[in-house]
Amino acid sequence: MAVEVGSEAPDFTLNDYNKQPVALSSFRGERNVLLVFYPFAFSGICTGELCQVRDELAAYEDENVQVLGVSVDTPFSLKAWAEQQGYPFPLLSDFWPHGAVAAEYGVFNETAGLANRGTFLIDTAGVVRYAEVNAPGEPRDQEAWKKAVAALKS
C-alpha cells in the first residue's frame, strides 16, 4: 500500500548518480520535495516525464520544491542518463537493497523488480501532501503535481 496523504514521509538516504548520499530529512524545514519514482532510466515514458520536469524545473524551484528522481537503476546508468538528457536535479539509486525505498513508499513492483510510477509531494514538515501511483506503462499527468504544489501556499 502506498504512503498516504497526511502521513509522515518515510525518511531515507540514497546515493545520487555521483555516489553522494542524499537524505530526504536534509530538506526538512528548508524545502518541499517532489519525490518521483520511475521504472527505469533510458525508457521512453520515463525519459518523456523527466524531460518535462527538466523543462519546467523553474516553476518548481520558484515554489521552493526540490525534485528528486528515484529508480532501481545503478548510479552509473543514472549518471549516463542524466548527462545525456541534461537533468539538473538529483537522480537517486534504489539499487541495493533492491527497491527498499520504493517498497517503503508502496511502489515497488516485486514481480518486475522495478518501481511503479509513484509521485509524492512532501512539505517542509515531512508530511505527504500529494500521492499518486501509476502502473509502469501509464504516463502521469503532471498538471496534478503543479496543482498540489500551488496548494502548499494555502
Side-chain angles (χ1 to χ4, degrees):
M1 178 141 195
V3 172
E4 295 183 5
V5 171
S7 65
E8 185 171 338
D11 193 23
F12 62 83
T13 301
L14 291 172
N15 286 338
D16 67 11
Y17 50 73
N18 290 313
K19 294 196 230 167
Q20 297 301 305
V22 175
L24 178 64
S25 58
S26 69
F27 300 100
R28 206 165 270 181
E30 302 290 324
R31 299 190 80 185
N32 303 297
V33 174
L34 183 66
L35 191 57
V36 181
F37 289 91
Y38 56 93
F40 291 116
F42 296 101
S43 60
I45 294 172
C46 297
T47 299
E49 287 182 336
L50 289 189
C51 284
Q52 182 178 348
V53 172
R54 176 200 64 205
D55 295 347
E56 299 174 355
L57 189 61
Y60 294 107
E61 290 174 339
D62 288 349
E63 298 296 334
N64 196 36
V65 175
Q66 173 66 55
V67 174
L68 299 176
V70 182
S71 76
V72 298
D73 294 294
T74 67
F76 306 106
S77 60
L78 293 177
K79 184 170 184 126
W81 193 42
E83 288 174 353
Q84 179 193 69
Q85 298 299 328
Y87 298 137
F89 46 86
L91 300 180
L92 308 179
S93 174
D94 193 14
F95 181 73
W96 198 257
H98 192 70
V101 173
E104 247 188 300
Y105 277 79
V107 298
F108 187 65
N109 182 325
E110 290 190 28
T111 304
L114 54 81
N116 287 323
R117 295 179 193 286
T119 311
F120 302 90
L121 180 62
I122 302 159
D123 69 15
T124 57
V127 176
V128 176
R129 295 297 173 196
Y130 173 85
E132 172 189 33
V133 180
N134 296 51
E138 182 184 335
R140 295 174 262 212
D141 175 12
Q142 295 187 24
E143 290 306 310
W145 308 356
K146 294 174 191 163
K147 289 177 185 168
V149 167
L152 286 175
K153 288 192 222 178
S154 52

